[in-house]
Amino acid sequence: MKTYIIYLFFTIFLVKVNAQGNQQYQKLNFQIGPLNIYNENYDTETKEMAELLKKINSKGDPQMYYHWNKKLSEFYKKRLRISSKKNKYEIWSRYVHQLLLAGENQLCINEIEKKIKNNQTSYETLILLSLPIMETLGLAYLRLGEELNCTNNHNEFSCILPLAEEGYHKSKKGSKKAIEIFSKIYSIHPKQKYKWLLNLAYMTLGDYPEKVPQEYFIDYYKNIENKNVAPFREIASYLGIDANGLSGGVSLDDFNNDGLTDIFATSYGMEDQSRLFINTGEGFKDSTSESGLDGILGGLNCIHADYNNDGHVDILILRGAWLGSNGNHPNSLLKNNGDGTFSDVTKSAGLLSFYPTQTASWADINNDGYLDLFIGNESNLNQNHPCELYINQGNGKFLEQSEKYKLNNIYGNVKGVVFGDINNDQWPDLFISVLGGKNMLFKNEFGIFKDIAYDAGVQEPFFSFPSWIWDVNNDGYNDIFVASYDLRNLSNLASDFIDELEGKSVQSEKSKLFINNGDETFTESSVDFNIDISMYAMGSNFGDIDNDGWLDFYIGNGSPEFSSTIPNRMFRNLGGNKFEEVTLAGRFGHIQKGHGVGFADLDNDGDQDIYAVMGGAFEGDKYPNVCFENPDTENNWVVIKLVGESSNRSAIGSYLKIELDNGRNIYRTVNTGGSFGSSTLQSEIGLGNCKTIKKISINWPSGTTQVFTNLESNKKYKIFENKKNPYQDPFRKLSFSKNFNHTHP
């Protein structure tokens, strides 16, 4: 018997999309009324989008929106009253499971314990009769412990492995009862996922490893002694940027042009408000309301860029992912007005459409100086939702022209899209990750695209998710990373994690790292680079955590299932030859589900911090977002902020070659990073122990090349296209954590 969560996931997410969804879509009046597109204030259009989102939310059917779990629990509770005796247990089972997914942990526990008492049965008997119900009960107790300790009494140590004493549960009942239940389950069904949940519960009590019975002990901390990475601090709660929501996206950049990096974050729930946190230099201020963003709800992802070349960074929110025919939600293009406010200009810009999506990428595909937009939409067996290519007209408007550029008729469950130049011809190419299909790589032949994925050898993995184009080995050619997300094995996600930890083989697909051969072909090298693992990555991005000039990456793991409680993971690049996992040493092992990830120097101290949006897909799986503060390294750095003139103002697609005084070269391309999470557009580059940049060469998308010599390390430079000299930007170091009184163990 499949659990109800698996039923929901596979029926709603994949193939059994109910036709009612499309009917409901037709019933809604998906219209934004007439507006004056010449009104620079755009207040009317923003209000209309807010009303549209409110209408979509109000018209939704809980049976169609799998994440409306409180409403779904009420639905099944009502059905219980009128159901026949034959169907009563099945409906009750769905009811209590929805209580769990809704975060109604105590009520879920009460219902199941009452049933056990009334039937005069035992845990052991119920395990034999209905394992899903007992698993639900165990998870409810485990989640109750998290609710009372990690959510209600949240601190910087909550849910981060290895757990410090401050992260132990003070209210112990939840974990103790979970241990009682899962130990009984494990004795009958000795699956790895139950063993892992038992170890987690002991960790929360401070009883790991000493008190864990040997029969299900997992030596997870055996690789903690890593001397190369100092522990990061999770400081989001101190800064007031710990927005509490479901999985979502993040954009990190300077949205008010004051030289400090700000934070924009979204949450999946259609009732969840997007949030803007402005960096004040002493902390962060929630500026959502005063920025005119009230009512701009939902969004599993967001990406940013200056689409209209006005010098102000704009934001695109993506909506409707995973909902199939019920995901016909509009995206939002938020125009930065340059006065501290944003306006939703989706319709007037020509971007209003109603396809489910969570992924898009900016690039100037025709090298005309304006950023274009590719949106990867999700298709299913019942509905085809074509991907879209919007060409920037240079007047604040876009035209959908996928057919003209040979990017039409692209269908599939598209989960990641990213632009990058794979052959150094200064024309951005496009990689598309398809969940449950062959991935695509489109070569840009002077504005016309051709799929070369088969010849290039980059069609795998079949079940893929986030993807990036980056230069992992600093050889001057961009490589491709594709994270796996094997839908076929979601119930065994935790089992795969433990099996790999213990050196056992797993059936799930592995992530792929394709190293560029320099001839438009790639060599799959995940084994050589020590990342041949099943990651189950929902969000990810890359950056340089130790300023050694080699790009590292962070993975947000998980699945909708509540039993999929595995840590997010960090991998450090060792000289472009392989990666080592530094999850525990760096204190990145957060066990809540991670999604949008961004790298940026938030405190202006020269090293990159990490902001990650946490939370799952169900209503009861919300969790505060996290911010990992870099503890500082001894290595040197430089920040390069490029400003395009003939090229797009954001300088996206610009190619940097940094030649150091020790003979080493570092290569970077200006973009926002991976396909889930949007890092700062300024290039924050680690230099190792080098103090002087011998030469920096910049190839702009326009074809312009600029060369500068003898730049100092540990400085920020602003470089304007076609200007002779770089401008040294003031760089004021901030001290966010100066008053934090704790030393990590």
Side-chain angles (χ1 to χ4, degrees):
M1 178 181 176
K2 294 182 179 179
T3 64
Y4 188 50
I5 187 171
I6 296 297
Y7 171 82
L8 279 171
F9 188 83
F10 282 95
T11 56
I12 299 178
F13 281 159
L14 297 178
V15 296
K16 299 182 182 178
V17 180
N18 196 313
Q20 292 179 15
N22 192 47
Q23 294 170 5
Q24 290 171 349
Y25 165 62
Q26 298 297 335
K27 290 178 183 178
L28 288 177
N29 183 23
F30 280 65
Q31 300 291 326
I32 292 181
L35 49 91
N36 180 6
I37 62 174
Y38 302 105
N39 180 1
E40 293 182 359
N41 202 9
Y42 291 106
D43 287 341
T44 301
E45 190 173 354
T46 304
K47 291 176 182 177
E48 288 170 344
M49 177 59 78
E51 285 299 314
L52 173 61
L53 297 174
K54 183 179 179 181
K55 181 185 290 187
I56 293 172
N57 190 54
S58 66
K59 297 291 184 179
D61 184 347
Q63 295 182 79
M64 297 293 102
Y65 287 178
Y66 67 91
H67 58 301
W68 283 7
N69 307 109
K70 289 183 180 179
K71 293 180 181 179
L72 278 167
S73 66
E74 287 298 316
F75 171 79
Y76 287 117
K77 186 178 182 179
K78 291 177 181 177
R79 283 194 62 187
L80 269 175
R81 299 171 187 155
I82 59 174
S83 63
S84 65
K85 186 176 180 180
K86 179 182 177 181
N87 297 326
K88 214 171 199 62
Y89 184 79
E90 177 64 24
I91 294 171
W92 175 83
S93 299
R94 296 187 178 190
Y95 167 58
V96 295
H97 198 79
Q98 287 301 323
L99 289 176
L100 170 67
L101 300 183
E104 300 287 352
N105 299 303
Q106 190 61 64
L107 185 56
C108 177
I109 291 167
N110 293 344
E111 282 287 329
I112 298 176
E113 294 282 14
K114 182 175 67 175
K115 181 76 71 174
I116 292 172
K117 182 179 179 180
N118 290 343
N119 291 341
Q120 297 183 337
T121 188
S122 64
Y123 285 170
E124 290 86 352
T125 301
L126 193 56
I127 291 169
L128 295 172
L129 295 175
S130 183
L131 176 60
I133 291 297
M134 282 304 296
E135 184 175 312
T136 295
L137 181 61
L139 289 170
Y141 273 117
L142 201 62
R143 300 298 298 222
L144 180 64
E146 291 182 359
E147 177 189 341
L148 298 177
N149 296 277
C150 305
T151 304
N152 296 351
N153 294 288
H154 182 72
N155 62 55
E156 67 170 288
F157 306 97
S158 299
C159 293
I160 297 177
L161 304 182
L163 279 179
E165 185 175 349
E166 295 91 333
Y168 296 161
H169 288 189
K170 292 181 172 57
S171 177
K172 300 180 181 297
K173 178 182 177 180
S175 289
K176 285 185 174 181
K177 286 293 292 185
I179 289 172
E180 178 187 352
I181 291 166
F182 283 119
S183 62
K184 294 181 184 298
I185 292 176
Y186 184 77
S187 67
I188 300 172
H189 301 280
K191 295 181 178 181
Q192 292 280 54
K193 71 173 181 179
Y194 300 131
K195 185 163 75 171
W196 171 242
L197 291 173
L198 281 163
N199 279 262
L200 278 179
Y202 276 101
M203 291 177 188
T204 66
L205 299 174
D207 292 339
Y208 179 93
E210 291 84 4
K211 296 184 180 180
V212 183
Q214 192 60 41
E215 62 264 30
Y216 42 77
F217 172 68
I218 297 171
D219 191 6
Y220 179 58
Y221 292 170
K222 63 183 177 181
N223 297 319
I224 196 172
E225 289 82 18
N226 187 291
K227 308 300 182 184
N228 299 310
V229 175
F232 281 53
R233 297 196 62 185
E234 202 289 279
I235 62 172
S237 59
Y238 297 113
L239 299 177
I241 54 177
D242 54 338
N244 192 358
L246 299 175
S247 55
V250 61
S251 287
L252 304 179
D253 221 297
D254 183 5
F255 294 113
N256 59 353
N257 285 344
D258 65 351
L260 305 176
T261 300
D262 312 304
I263 301 169
F264 180 84
T266 65
S267 174
Y268 187 34
M270 280 300 295
E271 297 177 338
D272 295 347
Q273 173 66 52
S274 301
R275 306 283 292 278
L276 176 65
F277 300 100
I278 294 296
N279 192 336
T280 67
E282 297 179 353
F284 286 83
K285 177 185 178 183
D286 189 336
S287 299
T288 304
S289 293
E290 64 190 67
S291 298
L293 294 171
D294 284 340
I296 303 302
L297 311 175
L300 193 55
N301 197 11
C302 56
I303 57 171
H304 65 280
D306 182 1
Y307 79 91
N308 56 359
N309 289 348
D310 66 352
H312 307 294
V313 181
D314 315 293
I315 303 169
L316 178 74
I317 300 175
L318 300 151
R319 301 188 179 97
W322 294 111
L323 294 174
S325 54
N326 303 288
N328 298 292
H329 298 168
N331 302 319
S332 280
L333 178 62
L334 304 178
K335 176 183 175 291
N336 189 334
N337 298 316
D339 59 0
T341 68
F342 289 79
S343 298
D344 193 306
V345 297
T346 312
K347 182 181 179 181
S348 56
L351 295 180
L352 185 65
S353 65
F354 297 92
Y355 296 130
T357 186
Q358 64 184 43
T359 185
S361 189
W362 297 100
D364 184 1
I365 69 164
N366 51 11
N367 283 341
D368 65 351
Y370 292 94
L371 288 172
D372 311 300
L373 178 66
F374 185 89
I375 300 178
N377 295 312
E378 300 176 1
S379 295
N380 54 60
L381 293 183
N382 291 343
Q383 288 187 324
N384 283 328
H385 299 139
C387 295
E388 301 163 287
L389 175 65
Y390 290 97
I391 299 299
N392 197 325
Q393 302 302 293
N395 59 358
K397 303 179 186 298
F398 294 81
L399 286 178
E400 207 294 315
Q401 294 187 304
S402 56
E403 183 174 2
K404 177 180 177 180
Y405 291 88
K406 306 300 182 185
L407 286 174
N408 58 320
N409 297 319
I410 298 176
Y411 300 94
N413 198 6
V414 176
K415 287 299 177 183
V417 298
V418 60
F419 281 106
D421 185 0
I422 58 101
N423 54 5
N424 291 349
D425 64 354
Q426 294 186 273
W427 290 85
D429 310 297
L430 175 64
F431 183 84
I432 299 177
S433 168
V434 181
L435 187 66
K438 294 178 180 178
N439 299 323
M440 295 169 257
L441 175 61
F442 289 92
K443 176 187 175 184
N444 188 341
E445 297 182 332
F446 313 108
I448 302 298
F449 287 85
K450 177 184 177 182
D451 189 359
I452 63 168
Y454 176 80
D455 292 332
V458 297
Q459 291 183 306
E460 294 182 324
F462 189 77
F463 289 95
S464 61
F465 212 146
S467 53
W468 329 313
I469 294 178
W470 60 335
D471 191 351
V472 67
N473 55 0
N474 268 332
D475 66 350
Y477 288 94
N478 279 321
D479 313 298
I480 300 174
F481 176 82
V482 194
S484 61
Y485 195 83
D486 200 331
L487 285 177
R488 302 165 301 179
N489 209 39
L490 284 182
S491 297
N492 296 313
L493 185 155
S495 297
D496 280 356
F497 172 70
I498 299 304
D499 281 340
E500 286 187 325
L501 178 71
E502 296 179 344
K504 302 174 183 176
S505 62
V506 299
Q507 298 300 312
S508 298
E509 263 193 309
K510 310 293 183 65
S511 300
K512 302 295 182 183
L513 175 62
F514 298 104
I515 297 297
N516 198 324
N517 298 321
D519 59 0
E520 299 180 0
T521 68
F522 295 77
T523 299
E524 205 291 298
S525 304
S526 58
V527 173
D528 293 339
F529 278 78
N530 200 35
I531 52 173
D532 180 43
I533 55 178
S534 52
M535 290 182 178
Y536 293 99
M538 297 192 299
S540 59
N541 217 324
F542 60 87
D544 185 358
I545 62 171
D546 52 6
N547 278 341
D548 65 352
W550 302 99
L551 292 171
D552 318 300
F553 68 94
Y554 181 84
I555 293 287
N557 289 304
S559 85
E561 288 198 54
F562 279 20
S563 61
S564 301
T565 306
I566 63 173
N568 301 310
R569 306 170 78 173
M570 173 64 76
F571 295 87
R572 178 174 176 261
N573 190 332
L574 299 180
N577 296 309
K578 67 176 182 178
F579 289 91
E580 67 172 353
E581 185 167 2
V582 294
T583 299
L584 295 176
R587 292 192 59 80
F588 298 108
H590 209 295
I591 62 172
Q592 298 295 329
K593 300 177 179 69
H595 204 262
V597 177
F599 285 74
D601 184 5
L602 295 172
D603 52 2
N604 267 16
D605 63 353
D607 47 42
Q608 290 191 308
D609 313 294
I610 300 171
Y611 188 88
V613 175
M614 311 299 286
F618 295 115
E619 199 169 4
D621 210 6
K622 293 186 175 182
Y623 198 81
N625 297 343
V626 299
C627 180
F628 295 107
E629 183 190 35
N630 200 309
D632 297 335
T633 72
E634 296 181 356
N635 288 326
N636 298 306
W637 50 269
V638 68
V639 176
I640 306 293
K641 173 68 175 179
L642 298 184
V643 181
E645 294 184 346
S646 300
S647 304
N648 67 88
R649 184 72 178 252
S650 298
I652 288 176
S654 297
Y655 182 75
L656 291 81
K657 179 181 179 182
I658 299 97
E659 300 178 42
L660 304 181
D661 54 11
N662 63 358
R664 180 185 172 194
N665 295 335
I666 297 174
Y667 301 88
R668 292 289 185 269
T669 303
V670 178
N671 56 35
T672 59
S675 55
F676 287 92
S678 198
S679 299
T680 177
L681 285 165
Q682 67 181 17
S683 297
E684 300 170 348
I685 303 168
L687 304 175
N689 59 8
C690 287
K691 295 183 178 180
T692 302
I693 298 174
K694 182 179 177 181
K695 182 185 345 182
I696 177 170
S697 305
I698 304 168
N699 293 332
W700 297 84
S702 66
T704 299
T705 298
Q706 288 177 281
V707 177
F708 304 96
T709 58
N710 297 319
L711 297 178
E712 298 178 62
S713 64
N714 305 327
K715 304 287 185 182
K716 179 179 180 180
Y717 294 94
K718 184 178 288 185
I719 298 176
F720 294 85
E721 186 178 11
N722 301 319
K723 294 232 171 103
K724 289 184 178 181
N725 298 309
Y727 170 71
Q728 189 171 312
D729 243 359
F731 199 76
R732 176 167 61 96
K733 183 177 180 179
L734 311 179
S735 300
F736 290 157
S737 62
K738 62 183 179 180
N739 297 317
F740 302 172
N741 297 314
H742 186 87
T743 302
H744 279 291

